[in-house]
Amino acid sequence: MLQLRPANERGHFKNHWLDSKHSFSFGEYYDPKQMGISVLRVINDDRITAGAGFPLHPHNNMEIVSYVLEGELAHQDSMGNGSVIRKGEVQRMSAGTGITHSEYNPSTHQGTHFLQIWLLPTQRNTQPSYAQIAVSDAEKAAGWRLLISPDGASGSLATNTEARLYASLLGSGQARDYLLAPERLAYLFVASGSIELAGLTLTAGDGVAFTAGTALKLLGKDLAEVLLFDLPA
C-alpha cells in the first residue's frame, strides 16, 4: 500500500536567497497530516542563490543529512569542521548535545540545489560528530547505493538512527526493485527525472510512503535519481 505526496502540495518558503520546498512540516509550514514518517522528520528541497546561505545557527539531538544535487555547499561548524560538499556528495552531522553550523553557496555565479534531511536519533545527548562521503553516478546506476545506515555497512555513513538511506539512478526503461521487510516502512523521494511506480508517473519532488512489507517496483521514464528511506515501523 502506498500514499502519494505530490511535489506541488509541499510547503513552500521563499525569500531573496532561498527557495525551499518542504515535504513535511517545517518552520512556518505546519500540516498535522505531514509530520514525517517513522524517524524521517524533514526533507527540504533547497535552492540557494550564489554567495548566500544559512548563517550560524544551533541544532541538538537530530541527525542532519545534506545531499547536493547541483552546485556546491560550504559547511562550517563549532567542532572546527570546514568543507565544501559537491554534487553527489553526502554529509552527515550528528547534532547530539548541541552544535552550531553554517551552510552557504560559495559560488559567485551558480546556484546550489541540495536536500536537507533530518532523522530522529536512536540515542539522545551523544557527542556531536561529522562525516561525509562521495558517491559516484556509476555506483548509483548499478543498484541501490547505501548512503546512511546505523552501522556504516557497504561504505555508508554510520549514523545514530535506525534509518537506512539509499540512492539510485535509473535510465529510461530501467527497472529497480526493493522488498521491504515486514517490520520496515519506506519513503521514496524523486530527486530528479521521472519514474513509473504502481501505474503512477512520478517526477522531481514527488514522494511516496509505503507500508511494511511492500514490494517496490520502479521503472525509469527518463534519467531519474531517487532516494529510498528504509525505516523502522
Side-chain angles (χ1 to χ4, degrees):
M1 186 175 179
L2 60 84
Q3 182 176 2
L4 177 64
R5 175 65 161 151
N8 61 4
E9 294 183 8
R10 294 178 295 173
H12 187 206
F13 172 84
K14 187 174 183 180
N15 62 16
H16 64 284
W17 62 269
L18 173 66
D19 189 348
S20 182
K21 304 289 181 64
H22 308 323
S23 293
F24 306 114
S25 294
F26 184 86
E28 297 178 359
Y29 168 65
Y30 174 72
D31 182 345
K33 297 180 180 179
Q34 301 294 340
M35 298 300 296
I37 173 174
S38 180
V39 299
L40 174 59
R41 181 61 188 83
V42 167
I43 303 178
N44 288 350
D45 191 345
D46 290 344
R47 295 178 183 270
I48 303 174
T49 59
F54 299 95
L56 199 66
H57 59 282
H59 293 284
N60 65 76
N61 288 316
M62 192 66 70
E63 301 296 297
I64 300 172
V65 177
S66 298
Y67 188 70
V68 176
L69 299 172
E70 298 175 12
E72 299 179 339
L73 187 68
H75 166 93
Q76 290 186 331
D77 62 46
S78 54
M79 294 180 289
N81 297 302
S83 63
V84 176
I85 315 160
R86 297 176 174 84
K87 176 179 168 59
E89 295 186 335
V90 189
Q91 173 203 83
R92 183 272 296 155
M93 187 175 68
S94 297
T97 54
I99 190 173
T100 56
H101 79 133
S102 63
E103 294 173 302
Y104 68 95
N105 178 359
S107 174
T108 58
H109 61 280
Q110 181 182 5
T112 295
H113 182 196
F114 80 106
L115 301 176
Q116 179 185 170
I117 298 160
W118 291 13
L119 299 160
L120 298 175
T122 303
Q123 297 179 340
R124 294 175 59 84
N125 298 319
T126 58
Q127 183 70 23
S129 64
Y130 171 94
Q132 71 182 69
I133 55 171
V135 179
S136 70
D137 285 351
E139 291 176 273
K140 292 180 286 187
W144 293 109
R145 176 43 161 107
L146 186 61
L147 306 179
I148 297 294
S149 70
D151 55 3
S154 303
S156 63
L157 291 172
T159 306
N160 178 26
T161 181
E162 290 303 310
R164 292 180 175 86
L165 170 57
Y166 297 85
S168 190
L169 286 173
L170 292 84
S172 177
Q174 186 175 11
R176 189 81 74 235
D177 298 343
Y178 192 89
L179 177 62
L180 281 171
E183 72 281 3
R184 304 287 290 187
L185 310 173
Y187 192 83
L188 181 79
F189 182 83
V190 182
S192 64
S194 62
I195 62 170
E196 288 185 8
L197 171 70
L200 301 172
T201 296
L202 306 178
T203 58
D206 287 337
V208 184
F210 299 88
T211 53
T214 304
L216 285 66
K217 295 184 179 295
L218 287 62
L219 184 68
K221 293 200 68 175
D222 53 26
L223 182 62
E225 182 168 10
V226 296
L227 297 183
L228 177 65
F229 299 84
D230 185 322
L231 305 162

